[in-house]
Amino acid sequence: MTKTISGIAASDGIAAAKAYLLVQPDLSFEKKMVSDVDGEVAKLKSALEVSDSELSTIRDKAVESLGEEEAQVFDAHKMILADPEFTGAVEQKIKDDSVSAEQALDEVSKQFITLFESMVDNPYMQERAADVRDVSKRVMSHLLGVTLPNPALIDEEVIIVAEDLTPSDTAQLNKKYVKGFVTDIGGRTAHSAIMARSLEIPAIVGTNVVTKEVIEGQSVIIDGNDGDFILDPSDADLVKYNKMAADFAAQKAEWEKLKNEETRTADGKQFDIAANIGTPKDLDGVLANGAEGIGLYRTEFLYMDSAELPDEDSQFEAYKTVLEGMNGKPVVVRTMDIGGDKHLPYMPLPDEMNPFLGYRAIRISLDKQDIFRTQLRALLRASVYGSLRIMFPMIATIQEFNDAKAIFEEEKKNLIAEGTKVSDNIQVGMMIEIPAAAILADQFAKVVDFFSIGTNDLIQYTMAADRGNEHVSYLYQPYNPSILRLVKNVIEASHKEGKWTGMCGEAAGDPIMVPLLLGMGLDEFSMSATSVLKVRSLMKKLDTTKLVDLVDQAVNVSLTNDDNEKLVTDYMNKI
Ligand code: PEP
Ligand code: MG
């Protein structure tokens, strides 16, 4: 029977395929003594063998689809399986204590994990703890006869159904087979959703129930435009959604024609539409969509995709590639924004009650200055290959900005003293994503070269609503007058000091926000590359001289997010 599950539309597009459940199976077992010790040892050996050959297959597939480096983790797993200290200890436990293979494996792996995790000053050993956990899960699944999901083995078109996807899960999805994903939890600005947009695959998040409703291999349709997920679609549904997919493709082809055009409004004003990227690999999408620059390079993905802290040279290469690839167009690089929902396996952060309010972003950079200085040096060295702008994330106080800027100046001086060439034209700005900074923008404007408004966080902090929590996703209200007032305040404050303001939060590519932002005089709009042409086409229809009134209404008369959505929709319908 056909059924529709609704969620938050997180990335545009429509696709039909089979469901692939990326859900961890139940690996619990009953503790019991065994009489047939040899039988348990044999069961263990067979589970170890199957696990090993499974890991070889996964490894080969991973090399094919993700590359040698990403596949290395599976070598580490195979090494643990081949390590007699580990497997021998499990076997010995079965023999000594007459316990089941499951129980012996569980107890021995917990001992190893506790030992490795206790070596807090040794990131290498801490990572091994994660490997042991993964390997013992795999062996346990074979002992219990249940199947673990193996996304690296996917070799047909599927739509992933998961409770949640971490940014690194999302980074590993192979676009050739993964046609979309749907999750139980998450909001529109969670990082998995943002990455789905850069991968250009449809996504729905925050359905609450999808993992409970869908069965493996079930035929499904994902409509990422409206947030509908259809289980067991009828023939009529398939026809309807195929038509919608074709219309969407035709619309995209129409936007394509604007690829090499400037962004100009109906009254002839020129604006910059830039793109957000996470890695140099995203450059193709940026160029294919005709962006006029990069408004946000989220460098934390460089750190997350690496097995250890990336050194100065490897960072330099990445920044140089992006600057050269953009061929003189401006590139705004944001310094590392780790914390919140973005973790580094090799740099465990303290467990926190509220990680989004905790030790993250510039707070870490100012504390662990060696990491920060390495990044700034790499950026400074790369600056001669294009038009570089640097910004700091999560600035709350003027002191933080001044401290970060001072370190930048110091490293610049050091490099020049060493005889290294650096550009003398690097703008240094900051993200506005904390209300304290938005309110005090007039003072910040005196010390920065530019602002970039990060609405994803600015909204979460202003509304006190976790951006990844589907239960409070209704509070993601970019058109709420309170948010609009903050945004307007920031833009005006920057202009008074002769500085410019961009926006790199998801709201910059939102068709309801665009007319309001144009009316407020936002200088640069930075968004997922896939939104660039849609927004360019929208801007062509808008006359900025007529938008000032619209902004006035939205900020001074409207009371709610919905009022403003209607205000802009009605306005657009009339022009
Ligand atoms: C933001 O907060 O709006 C932003 C662009 O940064 P991120 O989404 O990476 O937190
Ligand atoms: Mg942010």
Side-chain angles (χ1 to χ4, degrees):
M1 254 267 287
T2 302
K3 179 168 183 174
T4 300
I5 296 175
S6 293
I8 303 163
S11 177
D12 284 349
I14 292 165
K18 283 185 187 167
Y20 182 95
L21 273 170
L22 193 54
V23 178
Q24 295 307 323
D26 179 7
L27 294 179
S28 59
F29 59 90
E30 224 177 282
K31 285 192 176 173
K32 56 175 192 282
M33 303 292 285
V34 294
S35 48
D36 179 9
V37 167
D38 291 344
E40 285 304 304
V41 172
K43 199 168 102 183
L44 172 70
K45 288 198 165 145
S46 134
L48 292 172
E49 264 168 41
V50 188
S51 301
D52 185 60
S53 80
E54 190 174 68
L55 278 170
S56 300
T57 319
I58 294 175
R59 190 199 177 284
D60 293 348
K61 288 269 181 194
V63 173
E64 239 173 73
S65 55
L66 305 166
E68 189 65 46
E69 211 172 305
E70 302 268 0
Q72 274 170 11
V73 60
F74 301 111
D75 287 331
H77 290 189
K78 279 171 70 77
M79 266 163 67
I80 293 170
L81 277 180
D83 181 355
E85 281 212 40
F86 176 65
T87 55
V90 181
E91 189 177 330
Q92 203 55 45
K93 185 143 205 92
I94 299 175
K95 290 180 181 157
D96 290 350
D97 300 353
S98 300
V99 291
S100 66
E102 290 89 337
Q103 189 172 338
L105 174 71
D106 186 49
E107 288 179 13
V108 170
S109 57
K110 277 186 185 141
Q111 280 165 12
F112 274 73
I113 291 166
T114 312
L115 177 71
F116 292 162
E117 279 183 342
S118 68
M119 302 180 185
V120 276
D121 293 331
N122 188 338
Y124 176 81
M125 293 315 285
Q126 294 225 326
E127 246 185 81
R128 298 290 77 75
D131 290 339
V132 172
R133 193 174 278 119
D134 270 18
V135 168
S136 73
K137 211 160 78 183
R138 184 168 303 285
V139 179
M140 187 67 86
S141 75
H142 290 297
L143 287 173
L144 295 170
V146 296
T147 316
L148 281 186
N150 288 312
L153 294 183
I154 295 173
D155 57 3
E156 59 177 344
E157 293 195 349
V158 296
I159 290 164
I160 302 254
V161 172
E163 225 169 85
D164 188 18
L165 288 173
T166 63
S168 60
D169 286 334
T170 320
Q172 288 184 30
L173 299 181
N174 183 348
K175 218 179 119 175
K176 185 166 158 211
Y177 299 121
V178 176
K179 295 293 149 194
F181 70 76
V182 189
T183 63
D184 283 339
I185 69 173
R188 198 183 141 75
T189 60
H191 285 97
S192 52
I194 291 172
M195 291 188 68
R197 290 195 277 285
S198 61
L199 279 170
E200 288 195 56
I201 58 173
I204 301 174
V205 297
T207 62
N208 275 312
V209 294
V210 72
T211 54
K212 296 191 187 63
E213 301 271 346
V214 176
I215 48 174
E216 182 73 30
Q218 191 169 14
S219 157
V220 290
I221 295 175
I222 178 172
D223 172 2
N225 301 359
D226 291 328
D228 288 334
F229 188 51
I230 298 102
L231 317 185
D232 290 328
S234 64
D235 288 347
D237 288 329
L238 284 167
V239 170
K240 175 176 139 196
Y241 279 95
N242 273 336
K243 159 114 181 44
M244 279 165 69
D247 289 350
F248 185 61
Q251 172 70 270
K252 273 172 81 173
E254 216 27 61
W255 292 332
E256 267 295 307
K257 295 183 188 151
L258 302 176
K259 189 177 139 184
N260 298 316
E261 276 191 22
E262 273 188 339
T263 306
R264 273 198 193 278
T265 54
D267 53 323
K269 284 224 180 79
Q270 194 254 320
F271 286 85
D272 286 336
I273 304 188
N276 297 345
I277 64 167
T279 96
K281 287 186 225 152
D282 296 339
L283 269 184
D284 292 346
V286 173
L287 299 172
N289 285 288
E292 290 153 305
I294 287 174
L296 168 63
Y297 176 2
R298 289 184 166 95
T299 57
E300 52 277 9
F301 288 103
L302 197 68
Y303 292 73
M304 288 160 69
D305 285 348
S306 171
E308 57 197 3
L309 271 177
D311 62 15
E312 189 181 309
D313 282 346
S314 62
Q315 290 195 51
F316 163 75
E317 287 303 330
Y319 305 144
K320 176 171 176 257
T321 305
V322 172
L323 284 160
E324 282 185 337
M326 289 308 290
N327 210 2
K329 290 185 179 139
V331 174
V332 182
V333 180
R334 176 175 75 185
T335 60
M336 183 185 85
D337 184 9
I338 285 299
D341 62 349
K342 292 177 282 198
H343 304 284
L344 300 181
Y346 50 85
M347 191 175 87
L349 297 174
D351 273 343
E352 294 180 305
M353 297 282 277
N354 292 301
F356 273 107
L357 300 181
Y359 186 58
R360 57 172 298 199
I362 197 68
R363 302 166 185 187
I364 299 181
S365 295
L366 291 175
D367 184 41
K368 295 189 188 291
Q369 286 195 15
D370 44 341
I371 300 179
F372 190 42
R373 286 177 189 273
T374 303
Q375 177 165 38
L376 292 173
R377 287 172 66 88
L379 280 166
L380 281 156
R381 280 171 54 200
S383 64
V384 291
Y385 295 95
S387 168
L388 174 66
R389 296 163 178 183
I390 295 177
M391 67 178 171
F392 307 125
M394 298 288 297
I395 295 280
T397 70
I398 300 223
Q399 188 68 47
E400 282 173 336
F401 179 82
N402 286 343
D403 289 350
K405 174 93 190 277
I407 296 172
F408 165 83
E409 294 294 352
E410 257 175 53
E411 288 308 327
K412 186 171 167 187
K413 239 196 197 142
N414 289 344
L415 280 167
I416 293 171
E418 288 163 25
T420 306
K421 266 206 175 146
V422 302
S423 162
D424 57 6
N425 192 20
I426 306 172
Q427 294 188 13
V428 180
M430 62 180 264
M431 300 271 302
I432 297 267
E433 44 193 346
I434 296 184
I439 292 165
L440 205 61
D442 56 332
Q443 298 298 337
F444 278 99
K446 297 185 203 298
V447 293
V448 301
D449 291 327
F450 67 93
F451 291 136
S452 183
I453 306 175
T455 44
N456 307 338
D457 278 319
L458 184 62
I459 295 170
Q460 98 160 331
Y461 295 130
T462 307
M463 307 302 279
D466 183 338
R467 63 195 265 186
N469 181 339
E470 70 283 4
H471 299 295
V472 293
S473 63
Y474 76 96
L475 286 169
Y476 176 73
Q477 298 194 353
Y479 333 126
N480 187 306
S482 61
I483 303 295
L484 296 179
R485 284 187 189 189
L486 286 178
V487 169
K488 187 163 175 280
N489 183 51
V490 172
I491 299 171
E492 286 174 357
S494 70
H495 290 173
K496 272 201 190 112
E497 295 293 334
K499 313 290 170 64
W500 62 273
T501 296
M503 180 178 284
C504 59
E506 292 302 302
D510 176 338
I512 299 287
M513 279 299 270
V514 169
L516 297 170
L517 296 171
L518 275 181
M520 292 181 196
L522 185 78
D523 303 283
E524 176 235 43
F525 296 66
S526 192
M527 58 197 68
S528 306
T530 46
S531 299
V532 168
L533 295 173
K534 175 164 83 177
V535 172
R536 184 169 293 155
S537 140
L538 170 61
M539 285 191 184
K540 271 170 76 92
K541 299 188 194 117
L542 293 165
D543 180 338
T544 58
T545 57
K546 299 194 178 134
L547 294 172
V548 179
D549 272 355
L550 191 75
V551 171
D552 191 47
Q553 286 266 332
V555 169
N556 296 320
V557 182
S558 288
L559 296 179
T560 68
N561 192 66
D562 290 352
D563 290 343
N564 276 333
E565 182 166 5
K566 183 164 179 328
L567 179 78
V568 177
T569 310
D570 289 349
Y571 178 84
M572 292 305 300
N573 286 339
K574 275 193 234 128
I575 61 171

